[in-house]
Amino acid sequence: MTEPTLHDVACNDPQGGHRMAYWQWGDAHSAHVVVCVHGLTRQGRDFDVLARAIVARAGGDVRVVCPDVVGRGRSDWLRDPAFYQVPVYAADMVTLIAQLHGEHPIDTLDYVGTSMGGLIGFVLAGHKELPLPRPIRRFVANDVGPTVEPAAIQRIGAYVGKSGQFASVQAAADAMWALSTTFGPHTPEQWRALSQHMVVPASERSADGAAKTASAGPVGEGAWVLHYDPAIGVPLRAITPEIAAQGGAVMWSLYDAIEARTLLTRGAVSDLLSPETAAAMTQRGPRATLVEFEGVGHAPTFVDPAQVAVVTNFLFD
């Protein structure tokens, strides 16, 4: 399979529910499911290279599912931005996994989460009362820990939801690269492949969320905009040091309860996952195996073959 298929799942929320889209690779009838969840401003197509590699390593006998977290990609936008929070995202993943299990029983459940996706994974793997059909067997946390560095939150909050329109996909890719050099070296072709799913035609987006894009100014013919609801940044910018400390304590308690075999991947110069937090994660809870990628910050993209091999070896050794 060289391209994924697009599906969706109906999820609950206090405003009447929303639809979450997801991209599926491999064998839809496989009992081995790998769920890959992206970072704050990203979307499920970030995992194209990794998903292809997982399917190849499994000889086709795996179902790789890469959701667009609500507010991103092909998923709905929430009516109230206050609900762009990890508990809502985790509840959506439980709903998604239940739907997958209903379509074909899951015997093996693995999880890969980048940044925000990793925080969601802490909930799924560490909360013992969630109605998952199977506990998570292997968990990859990509450049994230229970403690998130305040400087990184401020850096990300400074640009989330504040970009405008782009004349072309390439112009958008260039603008995103200016904010994303911490992802590490990428060829122009690799960055273009990552970027093309990050934008949609402005006309299409205004049909999905006219009230949310109207303030951005008039939409020009042929213009492109980022795929996500600008309001996803609202809760992020509301985080105070006190809120961050409370959230970190909750995340550490969840992390300490994880029983899945855990791999922690880190950009060696990451500003979001500190060396101290990464080291602590190897000594407590599931005692994660730590692999660092030189010349990379926040966050590794799993496009480089060496990064991909680390994950596939972990899932299938």
Side-chain angles (χ1 to χ4, degrees), residues 200-258:
V200 294
S203 56
E204 178 182 316
R205 178 51 69 206
S206 45
D208 289 349
K212 300 181 181 181
T213 57
S215 61
V219 173
E221 183 178 355
W224 296 78
V225 295
L226 292 179
H227 67 93
Y228 64 79
D229 181 354
I232 65 170
V234 172
L236 184 70
R237 287 187 281 272
I239 294 176
T240 63
E242 294 75 19
I243 292 173
Q246 293 168 1
V250 171
M251 284 295 168
W252 274 116
S253 69
L254 289 166
Y255 181 78
D256 287 339
I258 293 174

Side-chain angles (χ1 to χ4, degrees), residues 7-316:
H7 309 264
D8 61 69
V9 58
C11 301
N12 294 322
D13 66 49
Q15 281 74 48
H18 57 271
R19 179 191 55 82
M20 183 172 69
Y22 63 94
W23 302 91
Q24 184 168 277
W25 299 82
D27 182 358
H29 297 98
S30 177
H32 182 188
V33 170
V34 181
V35 177
C36 302
V37 184
H38 59 78
L40 178 70
T41 65
R42 307 296 300 183
Q43 38 66 51
R45 297 300 300 270
D46 269 10
F47 295 101
D48 282 9
V49 173
L50 180 62
R52 290 188 185 101
I54 292 172
V55 172
R57 182 67 177 266
D61 184 16
V62 68
R63 186 182 192 184
V64 183
V65 175
C66 308
D68 289 345
V69 176
V70 65
R72 290 88 168 166
R74 302 293 185 91
S75 294
D76 288 346
W77 291 1
L78 294 178
R79 297 170 183 84
D80 184 348
F83 289 100
Y84 284 127
Q85 303 271 5
V86 168
V88 173
Y89 305 151
D92 287 357
M93 297 307 154
V94 172
T95 301
L96 167 63
I97 293 167
Q99 176 168 299
L100 298 175
H101 185 64
E103 293 170 353
H104 192 89
I106 298 172
D107 287 337
T108 302
L109 178 62
D110 295 331
Y111 186 95
V112 179
T114 294
S115 194
M116 179 189 75
L119 297 178
I120 297 168
F122 293 157
V123 178
L124 297 182
H127 196 309
K128 301 307 180 186
E129 304 304 316
L130 295 180
L132 295 177
R134 293 286 184 275
I136 292 174
R137 181 192 66 129
R138 297 195 181 180
F139 174 37
V140 180
N142 182 28
D143 210 67
V144 69
T147 299
V148 176
E149 293 303 302
I153 295 176
Q154 293 176 355
R155 174 179 63 81
I156 296 169
Y159 69 78
V160 173
K162 297 183 179 180
S163 59
Q165 299 172 17
F166 308 97
S168 65
V169 174
Q170 187 60 53
D174 293 343
M176 284 185 281
W177 179 247
L179 296 171
S180 306
T181 54
T182 59
F183 283 11
H186 288 73
T187 67
E189 294 75 20
Q190 288 171 335
W191 187 249
R192 169 96 181 186
L194 277 174
S195 301
Q196 65 182 344
H197 302 292
M198 291 290 293
V199 291
V200 294
S203 56
E204 178 182 316
R205 178 51 69 206
S206 45
D208 289 349
K212 300 181 181 181
T213 57
S215 61
V219 173
E221 183 178 355
W224 296 78
V225 295
L226 292 179
H227 67 93
Y228 64 79
D229 181 354
I232 65 170
V234 172
L236 184 70
R237 287 187 281 272
I239 294 176
T240 63
E242 294 75 19
I243 292 173
Q246 293 168 1
V250 171
M251 284 295 168
W252 274 116
S253 69
L254 289 166
Y255 181 78
D256 287 339
I258 293 174
E259 297 178 0
R261 185 176 169 186
T262 300
L263 170 68
L264 176 62
T265 52
R266 177 178 183 268
V269 291
S270 173
D271 67 344
L272 188 137
L273 175 60
S274 71
E276 294 76 17
T277 297
M281 294 171 71
T282 68
Q283 299 298 316
R284 56 189 286 185
R287 296 181 179 268
T289 298
L290 173 63
V291 176
E292 294 189 320
F293 301 119
E294 294 300 323
V296 179
H298 183 74
T301 59
F302 299 139
V303 169
D304 179 79
Q307 295 179 15
V308 170
V310 167
V311 177
T312 56
N313 289 341
F314 172 74
L315 293 177
F316 293 101

